[in-house]
C-alpha cells in the first residue's frame, strides 16, 4: 500500500520507495467494494493495478531571482537545501516549509526507484496538479512541461531513464507569479497577505505524483458514459498511434460482482469507440435497481482490457453511474424526474494543507460531513477537486457542480489560458456520475465589463457552447451568479439578510420573473440576453453566509452575523424556508461549508466541527421543497424508473 506523507507520521526519505499493495486494491475491484482510502488510485476512473506513488519528502529550493534555468539546477544536487513533503504546497504547514510569502519560482528534486522498462515497456510519470507552469527533467533530460495549475498531465519519460541504474533523478520547476492575474487562480490571493474572500496561494505540486509501467500498446485516455435511453454504456478510449496492428479492446460491465455484459472491438484507429448493450436495462420495471442518485449511489464497474493478438497488454479499471441529468419546465432533472438541489458551497481548503487535502481519508470525510448536514450536493467553488474526492461523491452519493478557478484580468492571453485548461478539466472529469453541472465562469470574475463589452459577452457564450460541445450530457452555465448570456440553469447569488426579502424576490412566478429581468443582485443584471428562455430552472447558487459576530479587531469577512448557535439555526431556517416555500425555485447552494481563512461564514469551523448541533442544522436544511414535492421519489417503485429524455 502507498505510504504517503499524509498518512504516515514519518515521511519517507528522498530515496525510499513508496508502492501500493496492488493485489489488495485489485481484490476490492472484483467485488465492487470501495478500497481503503490509502489504497485508492489517484485517478480512480483510470486505474491500473500496479502504480508507484512518489509522494513524500523531496529536496526543495526557492529561486526568487529566477536563475535556476540559466545555472542548470536540473542537473545539480547541492542547490536543494531544504526538504518538502509532497503533495503539500510550500505555503502550508504540512509541507514542512510553511512560508506563505512571495516565492514565484520553486524547484523540487527526488531520487526515486523506478521499474526498469523491459521489452519496450514505457514508464509514465503523472502529476495530479502543479501550479502553475511546470517543467520536468529526469536524469538531467527535459521530458516535458505543462501550463495550468488545476489539471493533470502525464509524461512518457522512458527515453530519459538510466537503464543501468535502480534509481532515477526527477527534478521539477514550478513557476507561479503572484501578480499574474490573467492566469486562472481561483481564490488564491495576489496580495502578500490574504484579504476579504481570498486565501493563501498554492504554489507548485499540490496533488499526487506517481509512476506507471505500461506496454508500448496501452490506453492513454478513457471516457465512460451511460446512455440511459438506449440501455448501454458508451466508451471512448485512445491508444498511441505507434501501438501497431493486431489490437482489440474488451470492455466488461459488472454490478456488485455480477457480469452484466461484455463487448470486444478491433482497434483500427488511435481513437476507439464502443458501446456495451445492457440487456438488464431494457426492462424499465427493473432498471431502477442499477440507477445512480445520491440516495441510491449504485455504481457499475467497467473493466477495459487492451489485447494484442488475443493476449492482454494493458488493463484499466473504471466505473460509471447509470443516470442522466437535464432540465425542463423550470426543474432540474435527475433520471427524468424533478430533483431539488440542496447544495453547499465547498472551498476545499484546509488550514494545515490549503488546497491539498491533509490526507486521503480527509477527502472521504468531507463528503460524509456534507451528507450528514442534509445536503445532497456540493458546488466546488473556484477549485478543480482531486479525482479521489469526486470518487467518494460517486460512491457515497453527492451531486457536484464542477467549476473552473477564475482569472481576474481580461485579455487574449487569459482567454487562451482558461479555455485550454478548462477543456483539460472537462475531459478528465466528465466520466464522474456525480458531476451534474459545469460552471466555467463565476460572477464575471476576469471579465467584469461583460455587460458593456461585446467581446466579453462572446467569450462567456463561446465557453458555454464549447463546454456543451465537449460534453452535451450535462447542463452548463455561462456565468454563475449574474450577467448570464446563455445558460442551462439560471444561477443567482443573493445574500439578502432576511427570509422576507427572499420571499419578495422569489416567492411567486411574477416576483421571480421581475427579479430575473429587472433585479440587480450584486448590483448587476441577472440576464444579459433576452429570448433564451427554454424552461431553465432557477437555482439560488449563493445565499446565507452567516457568521458569528466578530470580536473587536478580528480579521473577518462575512455577509450577515448572528450572536449564538441558537441564532444561527434560527436564521438558517428562516432563509432556507423562504426558498423551499417558493414554487419557482429549483434548488439552492448555501454559503458555505467551512470557515476558510478570514471567511468565518461556514456551518463548520475550519477544523470541521459544527457550529451548532448537527441534527438542528440538518433539520433546518432538509425541509421538503414546495416546487418539487416528489423530489424524494422512491426509486424502489417500478413507476419511478427513468424512461426517456436527455439533457436539452
Amino acid at each position: 500500500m502507498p505510504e504517503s506523507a499524509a498518512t504516515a507520521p514519518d515521511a519517507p526519505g528522498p530515496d525510499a520507495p513508496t508502492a501500493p499493495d496492488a493485489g489488495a486494491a485489485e481484490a476490492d475491484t472484483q467485488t465492487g467494494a470501495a478500497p481503503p482510502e490509502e489504497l485508492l488510485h489517484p485517478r480512480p476512473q483510470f486505474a491500473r493495478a500496479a502504480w508507484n506513488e512518489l509522494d513524500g519528502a523531496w529536496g526543495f529550493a526557492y529561486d526568487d531571482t529566477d536563475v535556476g534555468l540559466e545555472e542548470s539546477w536540473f542537473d545539480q544536487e547541492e542547490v536543494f537545501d531544504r526538504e518538502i513533503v509532497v503533495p503539500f504546497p510550500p505555503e502550508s504547514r504540512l509541507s514542512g516549509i510553511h512560508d506563505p510569502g512571495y516565492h514565484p519560482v520553486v524547484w523540487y528534486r527526488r531520487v526515486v526507484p523506478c521499474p526498469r522498462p523491459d521489452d519496450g515497456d514505457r514508464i509514465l510519470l503523472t502529476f495530479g496538479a502543479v501550479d502553475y507552469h511546470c517543467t520536468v527533467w529526469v536524469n538531467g533530460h527535459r521530458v516535458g512541461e505543462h501550463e495550468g495549475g488545476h489539471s493533470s498531465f502525464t509524461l512518457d519519460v522512458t527515453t530519459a531513464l538510466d537503464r543501468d541504474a535502480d534509481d532515477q533523478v526527477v527534478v521539477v520547476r514550478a513557476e507561479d507569479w503572484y501578480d499574474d492575474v490573467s492566469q486562472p487562480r481561483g481564490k488564491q490571493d495576489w496580495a502578500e497577505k490574504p484579504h476579504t474572500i481570498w486565501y493563501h496561494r498554492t504554489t507548485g505540486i499540490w496533488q499526487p505524483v506517481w509512476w506507471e509501467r505500461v506496454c508500448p500498446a496501452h490506453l492513454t485516455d478513457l471516457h465512460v458514459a451511460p446512455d440511459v435511453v438506449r440501455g448501454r454504456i458508451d466508451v471512448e478510449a485512445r491508444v498511441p498511434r505507434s501501438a501497431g496492428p493486431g489490437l482489440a479492446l474488451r470492455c466488461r460491465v459488472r454490478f456488485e460482482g455480477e457480469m452484466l455484459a461484455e463487448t470486444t472491438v478491433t482497434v483500427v484507429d488511435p481513437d476507439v469507440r464502443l458501446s456495451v448493450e445492457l440487456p438488464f436495462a431494457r426492462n424499465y420495471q427493473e432498471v431502477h435497481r442499477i440507477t445512480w442518485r445520491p440516495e441510491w449511489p449504485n455504481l457499475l464497474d467497467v473493466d477495459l482490457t487492451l489485447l494484442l493478438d488475443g493476449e492482454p497488454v494493458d488493463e484499466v479499471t473504471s466505473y460509471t453511474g447509470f443516470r442522466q441529468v437535464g432540465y425542463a419546465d423550470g426543474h432540474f432533472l435527475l433520471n427524468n424526474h424533478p430533483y431539488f438541489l440542496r447544495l453547499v458551497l465547498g472551498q476545499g481548503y484546509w488550514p494545515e494543507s490549503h488546497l491539498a487535502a491533509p490526507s486521503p481519508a480527509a477527502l472521504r470525510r468531507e463528503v460524509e460531513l456534507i451528507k450528514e448536514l442534509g445536503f445532497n450536493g456540493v458546488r466546488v467553488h473556484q477549485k478543480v477537486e482531486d479525482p479521489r474526492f469526486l470518487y467518494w461523491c460517486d460512491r457515497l452519493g453527492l451531486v457536484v457542480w464542477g467549476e473552473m478557478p477564475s482569472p481576474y484580468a481580461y485579455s487574449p492571453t487569459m482567454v487562451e489560458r482558461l479555455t485550454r485548461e478548462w477543456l483539460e478539466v472537462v475531459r478528465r472529469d466528465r466520466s464522474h456520475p456525480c458531476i451534474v453541472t459545469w460552471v466555467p465562469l463565476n460572477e464575471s470574475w476576469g471579465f467584469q465589463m461583460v455587460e458593456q463589452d461585446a467581446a466579453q459577452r462572446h467569450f462567456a457564450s463561446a465557453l458555454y457552447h464549447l463546454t456543451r460541445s465537449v460534453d452535451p450530457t450535462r447542463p452548463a452555465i455561462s456565468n454563475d451568479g449574474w450577467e448570464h448570456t446563455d445558460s442551462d440553469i439560471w444561477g443567482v447569488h443573493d445574500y439578502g439578510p432576511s427570509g422576507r426579502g427572499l420571499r419578495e424576490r422569489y416567492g411567486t412566478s411574477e416576483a421571480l420573473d421581475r427579479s430575473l429581468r429587472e433585479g440587480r443582485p450584486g448590483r448587476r443584471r441577472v440576464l444579459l440576453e433576452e429570448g433564451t428562455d427554454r424552461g431553465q430552472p432557477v437555482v439560488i447558487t449563493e445565499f446565507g453566509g452567516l457568521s458569528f459576530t466578530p470580536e473587536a479587531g478580528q480579521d473577518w469577512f462575512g455577509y450577515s452575523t448572528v450572536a449564538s448557535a441558537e441564532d444561527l439555526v434560527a436564521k438558517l431556517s428562516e432563509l432556507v424556508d423562504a426558498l423551499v416555500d417558493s414554487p419557482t425555485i429549483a434548488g439552492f447552494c448555501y454559503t458555505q461549508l467551512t470557515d476558510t481563512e478570514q471567511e468565518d461564514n461556514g456551518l463548520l469551523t475550519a477544523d470541521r466541527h459544527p457550529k451548532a448541533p448537527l441534527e438542528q442544522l440538518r433539520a433546518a436544511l432538509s425541509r421538503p421543497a414546495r416546487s418539487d414535492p416528489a423530489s424524494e421519489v422512491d426509486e424502489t417503485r417500478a413507476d419511478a424508473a427513468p424512461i426517456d429524455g436527455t439533457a436539452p
Side-chain angles (χ1 to χ4, degrees), residues 58-62 79-84 97 99 103 109:
W58 289 57
F60 183 77
Y62 286 126
V79 297
F80 295 89
D81 55 353
R82 304 186 184 201
E83 187 173 89
I84 189 171
I97 303 294
D99 182 350
H103 298 288
R109 182 182 188 273

Side-chain angles (χ1 to χ4, degrees), residues 127-291:
F127 292 83
V130 183
D131 202 352
Y132 171 68
H133 187 279
C134 169
T135 309
V136 182
W137 293 262
V138 173
N139 299 324
H141 302 285
R142 182 180 174 281
V143 293
E145 63 182 300
H146 178 263
E147 183 179 82
H150 312 275
S151 53
S152 305
F153 62 99
T154 298
L155 302 172
D156 185 333
V157 302
T158 310
T159 59
L161 299 178
D162 183 348
R163 295 175 178 269
D164 296 324
D166 293 326
D167 297 326
Q168 314 291 332
V169 179
V170 179
V171 173
V172 177
R173 176 186 182 271
E175 182 177 335
D176 187 16
W177 291 91
Y178 55 87
D179 57 352
D180 186 351
V181 292
S182 70
Q183 71 183 45
R185 60 192 308 122
K187 288 292 201 79
Q188 298 183 58
D189 210 326
W190 52 91
E192 186 168 9
K193 294 183 179 180
H195 73 294
T196 58
I197 63 171
W198 288 279
Y199 315 142
H200 283 299
R201 288 168 297 283
T202 292
T203 300
I205 300 171
W206 67 276
Q207 285 191 22
V209 185
W210 69 98
W211 297 108
E212 286 177 308
R213 173 176 164 177
V214 297
C215 294
H218 60 276
L219 298 176
T220 60
D221 195 15
L222 178 64
H223 171 49
V224 180
D227 187 334
V228 174
V229 173
R230 295 170 180 83
R232 70 190 191 196
I233 302 299
D234 294 330
V235 175
E236 299 175 14
R238 185 176 298 166
V239 299
R241 186 169 293 276
S242 60
L247 291 176
L249 182 62
R250 182 177 66 206
C251 179
R252 290 173 173 167
V253 180
R254 295 177 290 110
F255 178 62
E256 296 181 345
E258 176 188 354
M259 181 71 71
L260 297 184
E262 175 182 329
T263 296
T264 302
V265 298
T266 300
V267 176
V268 296
D269 188 85
D271 292 309
V272 188
R273 296 190 178 190
L274 63 85
S275 295
V276 183
E277 305 288 339
L278 302 179
F280 181 84
R282 296 173 188 164
N283 185 345
Y284 289 129
Q285 305 305 315
E286 293 289 337
V287 72
H288 62 275
R289 289 171 48 193
I290 64 169
T291 55

Side-chain angles (χ1 to χ4, degrees), residues 545-609:
L546 302 174
S547 304
F548 289 139
T549 303
E551 300 177 359
Q554 178 182 347
D555 189 10
W556 168 87
F557 182 89
Y559 296 93
S560 300
T561 59
V562 293
S564 65
E566 292 78 12
D567 289 345
L568 172 62
V569 173
K571 177 59 73 171
L572 177 65
S573 297
E574 175 190 331
L575 297 176
V576 171
D577 286 354
L579 297 180
V580 299
D581 284 345
S582 168
T584 65
I585 297 299
F588 62 73
C589 178
Y590 181 81
T591 302
Q592 60 189 6
L593 179 62
T594 69
D595 289 349
T596 308
E597 295 289 355
Q598 64 278 5
E599 281 191 313
D600 290 332
N601 51 8
L603 295 173
L604 309 176
T605 62
D607 54 0
R608 277 52 180 177
H609 295 299

